Amino acid sequence: MNRSEEDELKYTEDMICNNFSNYSAWHNRSLLLSNLLKRKVEGFVSKEKVLPDEYEFVHQAIFTDPDDQSGWFYHLWLLDQTVRVDSPQLVSSWPTPGSDLILLGDRCLDGCASSPFTRFHLDSRTFPLVLYFNQAVEGVNSSTITVDSELNTNKDLVWKPLSSCNSKAAQVWVTQLNLPDGNTHSSKVFPVEVSLGHSQGIISSSGFHYSNPFCFAFRVSLQFVETQPVEALGKEIISWRDESFHNYNAHSQDSSPISSLYQLSIKNDNELTDFEWRAATIAKEIDHFRELLSLINCKIGKLTLARLLMAHDAMMCPPANKISHSEEVLELYNDLMRLDPTHVQYYKDQHSLVLLQQVLLTNYCGSKC
């Protein structure tokens, strides 16, 4: 009809108000808003301005007729939009921030087995620095990433994307730091400081710039067999060679609205505003659906509450060092298995996933305490 997406969006609102069961209108609304939200870089209003109104809008449908599925599907799309971060984020690195890496000479490897990443044997005079982003980005180079260390003898480091499709964009980027010429009679500690976001240039395929200046540091210790005999180390050693690196080919994007939150997040103060509105929105939705379930016994309401609780725990665990709602979620899935035997296998799978995530997050949070 050759009219703007904004006009089409208003039309879907009119259609939905006429009939909450108009699934086509809900679906088209999600597509239109997705396109408009992507234009945030062009000045369109941001998620934190749009999504709260959309939640209020869909509540009218859900609370009026909880048995109609159209509004619930739209609510699931809203949850996905709430937990998904648009701008690229650095989610982890190797070496990890604050770590102490010990590099040993060749002869230290004899007779030793492998163990977790604490001590390494090198068959070259370089070792990798790895950055992992939450989405594929390009523009990772020496002008957007600053590495300050004596190990960085070449200021213009060559960053390579780990991509199996020869793309210029990738989630994982690797460079090699040069070790100094060996001095087999002494050991030395080299501080390494990595900074990014201080200038624009790292950009996602959807056009969003990495915009959170961040800096992290770790230390590299060089030790040699003459100063540190293998029998005196007291720990096992890993052999680290070039063939240890492999490209990982993700065949599909993860479609779960909460799974991306179970990554090791590297946060800084500039992220707090974005984090706070997302967390507050999820918490508010939890209150709404607890209220709804206190009035009616609704299967899809229980499923939605379980997803909201898991999203909230995934978002809050790293700063809170606890898992707040896992027992409640397990109880909800137990209820769903009794109420909805047709889909019992799905609920069993989700129940098992919650137990697994409970173990993983307990270990992660415990290691951070």
Side-chain angles (χ1 to χ4, degrees):
M1 297 180 66
N2 194 28
R3 59 184 177 189
S4 68
E5 289 180 317
E6 289 85 349
D7 289 340
E8 187 71 15
L9 189 67
K10 179 60 172 64
Y11 178 69
T12 65
E13 182 177 346
D14 295 338
M15 292 295 98
I16 291 168
C17 289
N18 289 335
N19 179 11
F20 285 143
S21 297
N22 192 332
Y23 180 83
S24 295
W26 286 112
H27 177 66
N28 196 36
R29 188 172 184 83
S30 68
L31 295 178
L32 291 165
L33 273 176
S34 294
N35 291 333
L36 291 170
L37 289 171
K38 288 178 182 178
R39 285 164 45 187
K40 178 182 176 182
V41 292
E42 300 175 11
F44 187 74
V45 69
S46 61
K47 279 185 178 181
E48 53 266 39
K49 301 295 185 182
V50 172
L51 295 189
D53 291 338
E54 292 301 305
Y55 276 111
E56 292 298 325
F57 185 43
V58 77
H59 288 166
Q60 298 177 45
I62 289 175
F63 291 6
T64 300
D65 186 4
D67 292 327
D68 185 82
Q69 295 187 36
S70 300
W72 292 103
F73 278 109
Y74 189 70
H75 189 276
L76 181 60
W77 176 79
L78 288 176
L79 174 58
D80 178 63
Q81 293 296 312
T82 303
V83 300
R84 180 181 296 170
V85 179
D86 290 322
S87 61
Q89 303 290 326
L90 180 67
V91 292
S92 63
S93 69
W94 192 90
T96 56
S99 62
D100 288 305
L101 185 67
I102 300 174
L103 306 179
L104 303 177
D106 289 351
R107 283 172 287 174
C108 291
L109 186 63
D110 297 337
C112 295
S114 62
S115 70
F117 298 99
T118 53
R119 297 173 182 266
F120 296 86
H121 159 266
L122 296 174
D123 56 0
S124 67
R125 302 304 301 176
T126 64
F127 78 96
L129 170 59
V130 184
L131 299 181
Y132 178 72
F133 296 86
N134 66 333
Q135 55 186 290
V137 297
E138 56 183 276
V140 177
N141 52 53
S142 57
S143 64
T144 56
I145 308 289
T146 300
V147 179
D148 186 11
S149 173
E150 292 181 48
L151 298 177
N152 183 15
T153 55
N154 180 7
K155 297 300 181 181
D156 292 329
L157 290 172
V158 177
W159 288 89
K160 296 182 179 180
L162 283 189
S163 172
S164 60
C165 57
N166 297 320
S167 172
K168 293 182 179 179
Q171 284 187 258
V172 184
W173 287 79
V174 181
T175 191
Q176 299 287 335
L177 296 182
N178 297 315
L179 298 176
D181 293 335
N183 180 354
T184 57
H185 299 287
S186 64
S187 61
K188 187 174 181 180
V189 177
F190 296 91
V192 181
E193 186 174 284
V194 182
S195 302
L196 65 159
H198 53 279
S199 62
Q200 286 198 343
I202 301 175
I203 187 171
S204 69
S205 56
S206 56
F208 289 92
H209 288 269
Y210 182 94
S211 57
N212 294 321
F214 183 72
C215 179
F216 68 94
F218 57 91
R219 299 195 308 169
V220 178
S221 300
L222 299 183
Q223 297 182 4
F224 301 93
V225 64
E226 287 79 5
T227 60
Q228 192 77 3
V230 65
E231 59 271 13
L233 293 174
K235 292 187 178 181
E236 297 173 338
I237 304 169
I238 265 187
S239 177
W240 186 271
R241 295 183 172 89
D242 291 342
E243 59 266 26
S244 300
F245 271 106
H246 300 280
N247 287 342
Y248 174 71
N249 182 19
H251 295 288
S252 63
Q253 294 293 327
D254 195 333
S255 59
S256 169
I258 65 173
S259 62
S260 62
L261 297 174
Y262 283 94
Q263 302 180 64
L264 171 59
S265 294
I266 301 176
K267 291 185 170 63
N268 58 53
D269 292 339
N270 292 330
E271 292 183 60
L272 292 180
T273 300
D274 184 63
F275 170 79
E276 286 170 351
W277 84 260
R278 294 173 191 274
T281 299
I282 298 298
K284 187 175 180 180
E285 289 304 296
I286 289 172
D287 291 339
H288 280 307
F289 285 100
R290 280 178 172 160
E291 180 182 356
L292 176 66
L293 292 175
S294 70
L295 302 174
I296 60 172
N297 195 19
C298 175
K299 291 182 293 185
I300 197 167
K302 288 179 179 288
L303 179 59
T304 300
L305 179 59
R307 288 167 169 166
L308 286 165
L309 292 170
M310 290 303 294
H312 184 272
D313 280 0
M315 192 177 297
M316 298 302 295
C317 177
N321 285 328
K322 65 179 180 180
I323 307 172
S324 302
H325 301 109
S326 58
E327 294 303 324
E328 184 179 355
V329 174
L330 292 172
E331 185 178 347
L332 286 167
Y333 281 122
N334 284 330
D335 289 345
L336 286 166
M337 283 185 261
R338 291 191 295 267
L339 292 170
D340 188 12
T342 304
H343 303 100
V344 66
Q345 193 57 55
Y346 171 79
Y347 301 133
K348 284 183 178 179
D349 290 345
Q350 294 303 305
H351 188 278
S352 298
L353 182 60
V354 173
L355 290 175
L356 177 61
Q357 291 170 340
Q358 188 177 29
V359 172
L360 293 174
L361 286 174
T362 299
N363 290 340
Y364 168 73
C365 294
S367 68
K368 299 295 285 184
C369 291

